Amino acid sequence: MSQGGFIKLPGGSVVVALALPRPGGDGRRVRVLVHAANRQRALTRLRNLGLRAVYLRGNMRPPTPDEVTAVLHHPDGVVWRQTLDDDTESWHPIRALLRPAQAA
């Protein structure tokens, strides 16, 4: 089960934040943010990218205002960061997280 949460934006769309195991099985977790029309579509976007075991149960760690800004300003609407609580690390496009797993 992943820790995460969501926030509904004034326009009706949502931003979902999840702490997921990093692909590759090294045991580290990453914080992933997804902007979508609703929670189900956000989870579907991640599953379509190859992150199959993605579930959102509850709203324990919703995205912060800074996280919402980061995902809204990214053209893909899906970003990740290695360090969950370090605000100095920049956000990366989801392709950078999935690239090593696809090459193997």
Side-chain angles (χ1 to χ4, degrees), residues 6-53:
F6 68 96
I7 187 166
K8 190 164 186 168
L9 301 175
S13 62
V14 298
V15 173
V16 174
L18 297 166
L20 301 172
R22 185 179 174 105
D26 60 2
R28 295 182 293 175
R29 298 180 78 74
V30 295
R31 178 94 163 158
V32 178
L33 301 174
V34 183
H35 178 236
N38 57 45
R39 287 180 293 173
Q40 294 80 12
R41 287 192 181 172
L43 298 176
T44 300
R45 286 187 74 184
L46 290 175
R47 289 180 186 129
N48 288 343
L49 290 170
L51 301 170
R52 297 290 179 208

Side-chain angles (χ1 to χ4, degrees), residues 51-70:
L51 301 170
R52 297 290 179 208
V54 177
Y55 298 98
L56 179 63
R57 303 206 197 289
N59 201 14
M60 294 175 50
R61 288 195 63 195
T64 64
D66 290 336
E67 290 176 332
V68 171
T69 301

Side-chain angles (χ1 to χ4, degrees), residues 22-24 28 30 32 49 51 74 76 78-82 89-103:
R22 185 179 174 105
R28 295 182 293 175
V30 295
V32 178
L49 290 170
L51 301 170
H74 194 274
D76 293 338
V78 183
V79 294
W80 69 279
R81 179 165 63 187
Q82 175 67 41
E89 183 186 0
S90 61
W91 292 95
H92 309 284
I94 195 69
R95 292 174 304 230
L97 178 65
L98 301 176
R99 188 175 308 132
Q102 291 175 351

